[in-house]
Amino acid sequence: MTTRQQPSAPPSHPPHGHSHSHGPAAPVSRHLRKVIAAVLIPFSVAVVVGLAVLWPGGAPPHERSGVGFDRQTQQATVTRVEKVDCSSVHAQGQSPTGDPTAQQGTTDEQKTSGTCENATIRIDSGKDKGRTFTEVVQPDSPRQLHEGQKVIAAYAPDAPKDLQYSVTDVNRKVPMVLLAGIFALAVVVVGRMRGVMALVALAISFLVLTFFILPAILQGSNPLIVAVVGASAIMLIALYMCHGLTARTSVAVLGTLVSLLLIGLLGSLFIGWAALTGNTDDNTGLIHGLYPDIDMSGLLLAGVIIGSLGVLDDVTVTQTSAVWELHEANPTLGRRALYRAAIRIGRDHIASVVNTLVLAYAGAALPLLLLFSIAQSSVTDVANSELVAEEIVRTLVGSIGLVASVPVTTALAALVVSADRPEKRNDRPETREPATAAPAPGRGGGGRRRKR
């Protein structure tokens, strides 16, 4: 009777370096599941307790200052636009944005000459629904109004009646909602059920941010502690919802947690050392003015942690999947061989993701960098300014955590799968051949994958 032997070392097929799903993960032994649970269950309980203790119950009420975003606003529609002579409407006092600084750099002669537009705007919401007011739009204004356009009107209750309303922005809800719908459709069509779960996880992340992180910071809780608890909750929900309650996902969670702790430590050290206040523009100044008890440097650190979380999830899940697939392709590989093979994939991932992270921050700060270029400031002066130094610290601290997540997660995954010995999974002795066994003739070395 001929006994068919299975080769124990089928040829390895390198996994795709950026894929997060390679089919169902093979179950690990009961002992390893207990070890992983012993780490993750207390951590999850601590996150739930943190959420309960720090839960704010809503943002604290305050009286609107009428400055910047802290203004009452209503929906409005441009009903008519007329061409008029600028001198006849005294255009120098008007701004289509409701911001007097919008006219800086324009001479008085330019303000009172040329053809302006006199726009009539109708209020569509609030207690003054149906009321109209006029807005003068100068010819050199960056935003021109047209009939039928939906806009946002700022309301100043303490101003004279005919000056209480002014156009502050364009209503962009329709194109934004349409774009979000296209995004959701693309995710579902390509990702199918995983895409649906990813969208649900994304919605939950926004809910945690909106109903926990932001109100808790406004209530006066430590921004760093709030960010750590909130980011941990988002991480647990997003990873397990998208990738399943498996040992593979649990290893990715552990790798992400270690990296977040490193980012928190480095961020705290260098934000303090570089004396970064976190109060660098009008918006942060307004926040500090309204809520002087908020630790602005802590808020900066919280932003670093939350901003790094999304990229970390991507890297840790990919590295964990790489180790699992390498082990599936060749179960005889030890933890060192698994680590060496998977870290090569991780190096490629690091190179692309770090570049992406730096360019993303540079793109966001492009207008600021352009101003420094116009002023012909040296690179040293630019980097030393607090506005740019914040972005440098944010980028470098996040990148260090990102780089560290690759070896940390790879090592954890290699330890888990290599410690999951075959005898713990009731493999038959005759199916475990030495590593030097030749593949069965006529099968191309493929063999059947061992059931787990």
Side-chain angles (χ1 to χ4, degrees), residues 353-369:
V353 174
V354 167
N355 192 47
T356 301
L357 194 63
V358 172
L359 290 179
Y361 282 123
L366 201 56
L368 176 63
L369 298 177

Side-chain angles (χ1 to χ4, degrees), residues 206 252 301 388 403:
F206 273 108
L301 180 56
V388 177
V403 170

Side-chain angles (χ1 to χ4, degrees), residues 82-96:
E82 294 178 315
K83 300 287 185 181
V84 294
D85 185 69
C86 290
S87 59
S88 67
V89 291
H90 306 289
Q92 60 267 30
Q94 298 291 335
S95 167

